[in-house]
C-alpha cells in the first residue's frame, strides 16, 4: 500500500518533532513534481538546497544524503506526486546556531499538481523579497500581495522593484517573448528550477534568449508573456496591471517543448 508521507531525515516525523517547527520560520525548501518516480532538473534542486544551506546555516548536507531522504519518501508514495523538501536548523530561529548544529531535512509528499490553465491577469506591486536568491519559508508578503491582487479582480501578482523593473511573481518566474527571442527579466529574484531547465534546454534547441530589464512601459512592444514554477513550464499571461499582452500559443508551446526535452532522473 502506498501513501503520502511527512518524514524527518528519512524517517516518519512525529508530532513531537513537528510541533516546534510549526511555530518557526527560518528554513528554506525546494518543490518538485515527480512523474514515474523521476524528477526533471534534480541537479538544480540539489544545487538550490546546498547553496541556500550555506547561505543560511553556513554548512550543507552532502547531496548523497539528501538524495537518500528523497528516495525513502518516494518509495512510500505513488509514481506521480508533488514533493517538498525543507531544510532547517535544529537550533531554531532567533538564536545563533552552534557550529555542530547540522541542518535537518523534512520531506513531504502529496498529490501531483500541474498548475492553473490560464491565461492569467497579474496585478503589480512594488516589493523586493529578503534574500531573493533563496527559496525560504515564512514569506508573508507573497501571500499578502496575492490576496490583495485577487481582491482587486486579478488572478495573481507580479513584483516590481524600486527601479521599476519587473522581477518575479508571488510563486512564479516571469518569461517574455519578443516574437523571436525569449526575454528573461533582469532584477534580483529567485532563479527557479523550472526556469533553469527551460533555459538550458532552449540553449540546446538553439532558441535565442536574452536577459534585460523589463518595465511596464516595455510591455506593449512584447509579443507574449508567461509564468512558470515547479507545477508547469508555462502558463499564459494576458494582462499585467492595465497592460494587455497578446496571445502567444507558439511561445507557450516552445516553453513546454523545452521542459519536456529535459530527461527525468531518479534520486
Amino acid at each position: 500500500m502506498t501513501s503520502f508521507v511527512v518524514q524527518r531525515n528519512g524517517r516518519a516525523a512525529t508530532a513531537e518533532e513537528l510541533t516546534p517547527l510549526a511555530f518557526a520560520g527560518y528554513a528554506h525548501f525546494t518543490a518538485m513534481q515527480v512523474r514515474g518516480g523521476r524528477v526533471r532538473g534534480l541537479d538544480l534542486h540539489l544545487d538550490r538546497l546546498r547553496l541556500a544551506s550555506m547561505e543560511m546555516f553556513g554548512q550543507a548536507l552532502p547531496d548523497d544524503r539528501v538524495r537518500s531522504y528523497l528516495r525513502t519518501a518516494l518509495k512510500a508514495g505513488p509514481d506521480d506526486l508533488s514533493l517538498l523538501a525543507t531544510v532547517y536548523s535544529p537550533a531554531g530561529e532567533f538564536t545563533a546556531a552552534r557550529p555542530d548544529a547540522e541542518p535537518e531535512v523534512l520531506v513531504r509528499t502529496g498529490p501531483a499538481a500541474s498548475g492553473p490553465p490560464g491565461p492569467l491577469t497579474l496585478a503589480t506591486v512594488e516589493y523586493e523579497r529578503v534574500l531573493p536568491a533563496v527559496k525560504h519559508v515564512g514569506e508573508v508578503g507573497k501571500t499578502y500581495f496575492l490576496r490583495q491582487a485577487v481582491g482587486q479582480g486579478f488572478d495573481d501578482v507580479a513584483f516590481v522593484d524600486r527601479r521599476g523593473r519587473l522581477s518575479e511573481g508571488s510563486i512564479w518566474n516571469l518569461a517574455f517573448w519578443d516574437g523571436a527571442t525569449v526575454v528573461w527579466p533582469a532584477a534580483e529574484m529567485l532563479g527557479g528550477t523550472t526556469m533553469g531547465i527551460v533555459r538550458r534546454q532552449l540553449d540546446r534547441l538553439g532558441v535565442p534568449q536574452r536577459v534585460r530589464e523589463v518595465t511596464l512601459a516595455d510591455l506593449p512592444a512584447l509579443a507574449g508573456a508567461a509564468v512558470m514554477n515547479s507545477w508547469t513550464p508555462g502558463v499564459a499571461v494576458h494582462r499585467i496591471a492595465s497592460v494587455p499582452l497578446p496571445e502567444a500559443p507558439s511561445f507557450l508551446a516552445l516553453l513546454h517543448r523545452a521542459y519536456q526535452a529535459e530527461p527525468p532522473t531518479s534520486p
Side-chain angles (χ1 to χ4, degrees):
M1 180 178 179
T2 59
S3 62
F4 300 121
V5 300
V6 177
Q7 297 179 345
R8 171 178 170 264
N9 297 336
R11 304 182 308 276
T14 66
E16 182 179 4
E17 292 169 332
L18 293 175
T19 297
L21 300 179
F23 300 93
Y26 192 73
H28 65 85
F29 67 101
T30 194
M32 61 189 78
Q33 290 298 312
V34 180
R35 298 293 184 269
R38 298 183 296 173
V39 180
R40 286 184 167 87
L42 179 63
D43 61 318
L44 299 177
H45 289 286
L46 294 172
D47 287 348
R48 165 185 278 173
L49 294 178
R50 187 185 333 103
L51 295 173
S53 287
M54 293 303 301
E55 178 68 27
M56 293 181 65
F57 310 127
Q59 57 179 312
L61 297 173
D63 286 356
D64 286 348
R65 195 187 310 176
V66 175
R67 293 180 71 160
S68 73
Y69 297 155
L70 300 181
R71 286 196 300 271
T72 300
L74 293 183
K75 287 178 183 177
D79 288 343
D80 298 346
L81 51 78
S82 300
L83 185 146
L84 190 73
T86 300
V87 182
Y88 67 98
S89 170
E93 58 184 346
F94 310 124
T95 183
R98 306 181 310 275
D100 61 345
E102 187 177 69
E104 300 190 358
V105 181
L106 282 177
V107 176
R108 184 185 72 192
T109 59
S114 57
L120 304 179
T121 58
L122 305 181
T124 55
V125 63
E126 184 176 311
Y127 180 61
E128 298 177 23
R129 296 189 307 110
V130 175
L131 292 176
V134 175
K135 191 176 180 70
H136 49 81
V137 306
E139 294 193 273
V140 64
K142 295 199 297 187
T143 301
Y144 176 78
F145 290 123
L146 164 64
R147 294 183 177 186
Q148 292 288 305
V150 171
Q152 297 165 14
F154 292 86
D155 297 306
D156 212 314
V157 66
F159 300 140
V160 177
D161 69 12
R162 71 193 72 183
R163 295 168 56 182
R165 304 179 299 178
L166 286 157
S167 58
E168 57 191 340
S170 62
I171 55 171
W172 310 95
N173 280 119
L174 298 170
F176 300 96
W177 179 241
D178 69 3
T181 300
V182 178
V183 178
W184 304 100
E188 295 294 322
M189 70 181 80
L190 177 69
T193 54
T194 299
M195 177 183 176
I197 290 169
V198 170
R199 290 188 67 170
R200 68 187 179 190
Q201 291 300 331
L202 288 175
D203 278 340
R204 291 168 185 168
L205 292 170
V207 176
Q209 304 177 73
R210 60 177 170 147
V211 178
R212 70 172 178 87
E213 296 182 357
V214 179
T215 68
L216 287 174
D218 297 320
L219 295 181
L222 293 172
V227 292
M228 63 183 65
N229 63 12
S230 64
W231 289 336
T232 172
V235 178
V237 174
H238 73 116
R239 182 161 60 94
I240 298 179
S242 62
V243 184
L245 288 150
E247 293 185 14
S250 61
F251 174 46
L252 267 291
L254 175 63
L255 297 177
H256 282 263
R257 180 158 63 95
Y259 181 78
Q260 291 298 325
E262 178 83 10
T265 59
S266 299

